[in-house]
Amino acid sequence: MNVNAITLPQQDVRKLLGAANADAALLYLYIAAGNDPGKAGEDLRLPDSRLNCAGAILRQLGLWPEVLPTKILAGERPNYSENDVLDAMERDMDFRSLYGEVQRLLGRNLNTEELKILLGFVRYLGLPGDVISLLVCYCKERARKRGSLRNPSLRTIEKEAYQWAEQGIDTLEAASAYIQTQNQRESQMTSLMSLLQIRGRNLTAAEERYAGAWLTMGFDADAIREAYERTCLNTGGLNWAYMNKILTRWQQAGFHTLEQVRAGDQKNLPKGASGQLGEAELEAIQSILQEG
């Protein structure tokens, strides 16, 4: 087993600490030291369940060293017929059991088109029945959190199923790790919305992209609050593009805490400057004025 000296990027450390999973941190160090991920279970003495969970967390954090090939990237999706569904219902006891479980979870009968989608989860995406059941539960809970009083459609669940398959989420351990990471991210997003004084509504798609990027950058709450306050002070309110310019500039400079931001502002101040605007704000103002 290699034990090469490694340097951990600050952003990676923040992600690992935020995940709060010792196995994921251990696996990250193992791979960063130049070891083969395929031998991690033996070298680290981790059972498959814990190893799969740790790997899934690293993939969710964007810390896995390789892009996993997936069978769904090549070719077109199969078009199952009604006869395919009837045959599966008659011959495949596991599918029949899954069909009943999904109907129970969604509280309604599935029509033929929905059964074709469900058959695709099994035959095309290769997802086990227990993982599909967990997928449905996850989509139900996500819909509830977003204020929907109705259970999600199979089409909605299908979109999530393809994302799971693309990320190699095909075991209960990997699915549980993914859901844990997503729940943690949702909690962080809720805290961020509170910090930005956003209440009584969901973020738009564009706003969610901005917010997600800021969370991924690894800023602490005080740094984001400072960027928000400077944005409001200089623009009169929350200007997403303006605030993004500030945070992107801080990210490029390696500033992720309020102390780092203020130290950087002082360092870059010319003589006689008041210090009311930092370099990132000046750059943001100039950029937005040019865009306008």
Side-chain angles (χ1 to χ4, degrees):
M1 181 168 59
N2 295 324
V3 288
N4 299 330
I6 58 176
T7 300
L8 301 184
Q10 186 180 55
Q11 184 173 343
D12 289 6
V13 174
R14 290 181 178 277
K15 290 179 179 180
L16 290 169
L17 292 176
N21 185 281
D23 288 342
L26 179 62
L27 181 58
Y28 174 90
L29 293 174
Y30 176 82
I31 296 172
N35 293 287
D36 180 1
K39 299 179 180 179
E42 178 181 355
D43 288 344
L44 300 178
R45 300 177 184 176
L46 289 176
D48 289 344
S49 59
R50 290 172 58 186
L51 185 63
N52 289 337
C53 181
I57 290 175
L58 292 185
R59 292 186 184 95
Q60 290 304 306
L61 297 175
L63 300 179
W64 192 256
E66 60 186 20
V67 177
L68 297 178
T70 62
K71 53 183 173 294
I72 67 175
L73 297 180
E76 297 182 357
R77 300 184 186 184
N79 185 18
Y80 295 107
S81 67
E82 184 174 350
N83 286 334
D84 292 326
V85 171
L86 292 175
D87 183 71
M89 291 288 292
E90 180 180 349
R91 299 175 181 273
D92 189 340
M93 295 300 295
D94 290 338
F95 181 76
R96 187 186 301 178
S97 176
L98 174 64
Y99 153 75
E101 174 66 8
V102 172
Q103 285 196 146
R104 184 189 68 80
L105 291 172
L106 295 181
R108 59 181 175 81
N109 293 328
L110 300 183
N111 60 40
T112 302
E113 292 304 312
E114 291 174 322
L115 286 173
K116 292 178 183 179
I117 295 173
L118 188 61
L119 187 60
F121 292 174
V122 176
R123 293 189 177 177
Y124 183 53
L125 298 183
L127 298 178
D130 51 5
V131 172
I132 294 173
S133 296
L134 191 56
L135 166 70
V136 174
C137 291
Y138 169 72
C139 290
K140 282 181 57 178
E141 180 64 15
R142 183 177 61 181
R144 185 192 65 78
K145 289 179 179 179
R146 293 179 177 179
S148 176
L149 299 178
R150 302 176 59 183
N151 286 327
S153 68
L154 256 292
R155 285 295 180 189
T156 298
I157 297 172
E158 182 184 36
K159 294 179 182 178
E160 187 68 23
Y162 270 80
Q163 292 184 23
W164 283 30
E166 288 174 351
Q167 297 179 57
I169 302 173
D170 56 6
T171 66
L172 279 178
E173 293 82 9
S176 298
Y178 174 83
I179 292 173
Q180 179 184 0
T181 303
Q182 291 300 108
N183 288 340
Q184 182 180 37
R185 184 177 180 84
E186 289 177 7
S187 176
Q188 293 172 334
M189 192 71 74
T190 299
S191 297
L192 177 59
M193 290 174 64
S194 177
L195 187 152
L196 298 178
Q197 306 297 312
I198 298 175
R199 301 182 179 88
R201 70 174 180 85
N202 294 322
L203 296 179
T204 66
E207 291 172 343
E208 193 165 344
R209 285 194 293 272
Y210 276 126
W214 300 343
L215 293 176
T216 302
M217 290 177 184
F219 294 105
D220 66 12
D222 289 336
I224 294 180
R225 183 179 294 105
E226 181 74 6
Y228 171 67
E229 291 177 353
R230 296 189 188 191
T231 297
C232 292
L233 177 64
N234 298 329
T235 68
L238 174 56
N239 183 310
W240 290 86
Y242 182 96
M243 186 169 168
N244 187 60
K245 290 286 185 181
I246 292 176
L247 290 171
T248 300
R249 178 64 181 82
W250 288 352
Q251 164 74 2
Q252 293 170 346
F255 303 156
H256 295 94
T257 67
L258 180 57
E259 291 75 15
Q260 292 171 338
V261 168
R262 290 179 174 173
D265 286 346
Q266 292 298 320
K267 182 178 179 180
N268 292 317
L269 279 177
K271 291 183 178 180
S274 66
Q276 293 181 345
L277 292 179
E279 181 180 353
E281 291 97 302
L282 294 173
E283 180 180 309
I285 291 173
Q286 183 179 12
S287 175
I288 290 176
L289 288 176
Q290 289 174 348
E291 293 173 359

